[in-house]
Amino acid sequence: MPEPSANAIARWLARCREHSGLVVEHIPFSQCLEWSFVDGVLQHSTGRFFSVVGLHCDDGPPHLKGLALPIIDQPEIGILGFVVRRGKAGWEWLLQAKTEPGNIGGTQIGPSVQATQSNYLRVHGGRPTEMIELFTDGAGMGRRIADVEQSEQGDRFLGKYNRNMVVEVPPQFKAPVQDAWQWFQAGEVRQALAQDFMFNTDARSVLCCADWTLLCDADGAGPFAVWRHQGGFGEQLLQSFEVSLPASGHAAAVAKLIEVRETCALQVSAVPLQALPGWQCNDWAIECEQPRTDPVVRPFRVHSADREVRHWCQPLLTNRAEGRAVLVCTRRDGVLQFLLHPSVEPGFTERAQFGPSLLTGLGHANPDALVAAIDACGARAHLSVRQSDEGGRFKDSVARYEIVELPTEAAEQLGNSGAWVTLSALRAMSSERSLLSNELRSCISLLLHWA
C-alpha cells in the first residue's frame, strides 16, 4: 500500500484559509471598546473570556527572581477534543480547520472541538459550538478514549488548563456539513505532523495525550511497529516504546519532578499593569522598556467569516523573536532515551512541569553546554517543524520544535540536572495530569510522525 501523504490535508487547509476572510488590524486600546483597564487589570466588559494581569516573581530560581511580566489569567477549563471513528482502512480523525487571529496563515488544524468555557456557553452571543455535547454530556454519545487535564504555557498563562479528550463515534455519526470539518485517515494525519504551520498547538497536545494506537494503520501491530527490522531512527523509537515501564525511567523522573516542586522557592504576587516594574503602558501596547523583549500586549480588531462571531476586538500577546523548543535524545544502555528538563514557570499551579530539553523565551534559562551540544556538528536533527503557539491568545508567536539526537559521549557531558526517559515513559506521563508542559507535548507530537 502506498505511503499516505499530507497533500490532501494541505489542499483542504489552503481552501479553508482562502475562504476564512480573516482580517486582523492593530488598533489602540481606546478603540477596543469591550476591553478596559480595571484596577490595573485588562479585562472584558463581561468579566469572562480572559484577563491580562501583571505578575512579579518575588522569589524563585535565579533566572526568575525579580522577573516582572504581563500574563493571561483565564481560569476556565476549556475543551480540546478529537472525534475518531473506525473506517475500512483503519482509524479516521475528524479535523477542524480552525481560524484564529494569531496564527501564521490564519487557519490551522485544530481538534474537532476547540472551545473555552465562555465560548461553548455562548457568552459571546454567537453560534453554538458544534459537537460540544460529545464532550460534555457523558455516556451515550460516544466512547470516551482519553480525558486528561493539561496546562497551557506556564510562562504566559496563569494556572490555565484544558481537558484533552478523544471520543470514538459510530460510523453512522453525522459530522458537521461545513467545509471546516473533514475526515482523514490516520496515515494522513501522521504525515501532516511533519509540516510547518499545519497543526495548531491544541491539536498537537491532544494527539500527544491520545491512545497512540489510533494513529496506526489497520494491521493492528501497534505504534511504531511498522519499523520493526527496518533499522534507523524508526526502529530505535519502537525499541524505546517497548521498554517495560519499570525500566523506562518513569518513576525516577516523576520523583525528580516532585522534588523540584517541593524544594522550589517560587513566590509570585499580582501587580497592576500600569505599575509593572520595567514595563510601560500606552494606548497601543503594554511592552517591556528593554528593547526586543517579548511578549508585547497589543489590541486588535478581528474579522473572520468562519467563526461563531464574525467581528470582535481583543488583546493578543505578540512576539518579535522566533522561539525554539528542542527535545534531545541519545542512546543510553543501548536504548533511545529523551532528556526532560524540570521547568519552573510562574503560571504553573504546581510550580514545575517537565519541559523540553531546551526552551527559549522570557523566564527560561538554558545551560551553555546544552546549547553547544545541540548546535554541534555531531548532533542530528531528525525533524524540525515551525508552529504558531496558541493563535487565539498570541500573535506572531512562532517557535521551531525539534527532535535532535546527540552522540552518546556528548550527552554524557550534560550532567544530571534533567531526567532521561524512554518513549514508553513519555507515553505513560502524557496520560497523567500536569507532568508534561505544553511545549513538551508539541515536541512529542513530532515523534508520532513515525508511529
Side-chain angles (χ1 to χ4, degrees), residues 39-88:
D39 297 329
V41 174
L42 179 59
Q43 65 182 43
H44 192 264
S45 59
T46 62
R48 300 292 297 273
F49 299 106
F50 66 96
S51 303
V52 181
V53 302
L55 201 69
H56 185 268
C57 296
D58 303 320
D59 198 2
H63 66 282
L64 285 181
K65 188 174 182 179
L67 179 70
L69 73 164
I71 196 165
I72 295 172
D73 184 12
Q74 187 177 355
E76 301 175 348
I77 296 176
I79 290 180
L80 309 176
F82 268 116
V83 176
V84 298
R85 70 182 182 188
R86 299 174 189 264
K88 294 181 179 179

Side-chain angles (χ1 to χ4, degrees), residues 277-288:
W279 294 73
Q280 59 180 356
C281 285
N282 56 52
D283 200 27
W284 289 89
I286 304 168
E287 56 189 332
C288 187

Side-chain angles (χ1 to χ4, degrees), residues 96-108:
Q96 178 184 184
K98 183 74 170 178
T99 300
E100 295 180 290
N103 282 342
I104 299 298
T107 308
Q108 296 182 12

Side-chain angles (χ1 to χ4, degrees), residues 136-419:
T136 58
D137 288 353
M141 300 297 294
R143 182 174 72 95
R144 193 163 293 175
I145 298 176
D147 186 356
V148 57
E149 285 186 9
Q150 298 289 11
S151 67
E152 296 268 17
Q153 292 89 341
D155 56 357
R156 287 175 283 182
F157 280 98
L158 185 62
K160 177 69 173 75
Y161 290 84
N162 297 306
R163 288 175 69 186
N164 286 234
M165 305 176 70
V166 179
V167 170
E168 180 190 359
V169 295
Q172 65 270 23
F173 173 76
K174 301 296 184 183
V177 296
Q178 298 98 311
D179 196 39
W181 286 270
Q182 192 161 318
W183 292 100
F184 289 95
Q185 294 181 5
E188 294 174 307
V189 174
R190 290 200 312 270
Q191 295 305 309
L193 285 170
Q195 295 198 15
D196 293 346
F197 305 121
M198 184 77 79
F199 282 89
N200 70 20
T201 184
D202 294 325
R204 290 185 177 276
S205 177
V206 180
L207 288 166
C208 172
C209 299
D211 181 347
W212 295 355
T213 304
L214 303 176
L215 286 167
C216 299
D217 294 321
D219 58 14
F224 308 99
V226 67
W227 299 102
R228 196 177 305 277
H229 308 307
Q230 299 299 310
F233 188 63
E235 187 164 20
Q236 291 182 47
L237 289 172
L238 172 63
Q239 293 169 351
S240 186
F241 181 75
E242 291 184 335
V243 172
S244 65
L245 205 56
S248 68
H250 173 272
V254 172
K256 179 183 285 288
L257 184 61
I258 291 173
E259 180 183 6
V260 171
R261 290 173 173 177
E262 292 177 344
T263 59
C264 172
L266 182 65
Q267 293 182 0
V268 300
S269 58
V271 178
L273 287 168
Q274 296 91 336
L276 200 59
W279 294 73
Q280 59 180 356
C281 285
N282 56 52
D283 200 27
W284 289 89
I286 304 168
E287 56 189 332
C288 187
E289 294 171 356
Q290 295 182 353
R292 300 175 62 184
T293 298
D294 290 326
V296 179
V297 183
R298 294 187 174 100
F300 293 88
R301 180 183 293 120
V302 185
H303 167 80
S304 178
D306 59 356
R307 291 291 298 260
E308 297 93 339
V309 173
R310 295 194 173 193
H311 308 275
W312 73 94
C313 295
Q314 69 169 98
L316 293 166
L317 273 63
T318 65
N319 276 29
R320 293 166 289 198
E322 183 170 303
R324 190 182 188 193
V326 182
L327 181 57
V328 163
C329 60
T330 195
R331 292 185 67 87
R332 291 166 55 91
D333 301 322
V335 178
L336 192 69
Q337 297 187 38
F338 299 86
L339 177 61
L340 310 185
H341 172 66
S343 184
V344 178
E345 300 181 27
F348 288 152
T349 56
E350 56 286 292
R351 298 185 176 183
Q353 296 181 16
F354 276 125
S357 317
L358 177 147
L359 182 64
T360 63
L362 187 65
H364 296 283
N366 298 290
D368 292 339
L370 174 64
V371 177
I374 290 172
D375 293 333
C377 59
R380 181 182 178 186
H382 288 286
L383 190 56
S384 176
V385 173
R386 297 173 75 211
Q387 83 171 38
S388 303
D389 284 334
E390 185 45 75
R393 298 291 177 262
F394 314 144
K395 188 175 189 302
D396 303 325
S397 178
V398 174
R400 182 175 294 278
Y401 288 79
E402 303 170 75
I403 305 297
V404 175
E405 183 175 358
L406 301 184
T408 301
E409 56 273 17
E412 290 176 349
Q413 303 301 315
L414 298 180
N416 60 356
S417 60

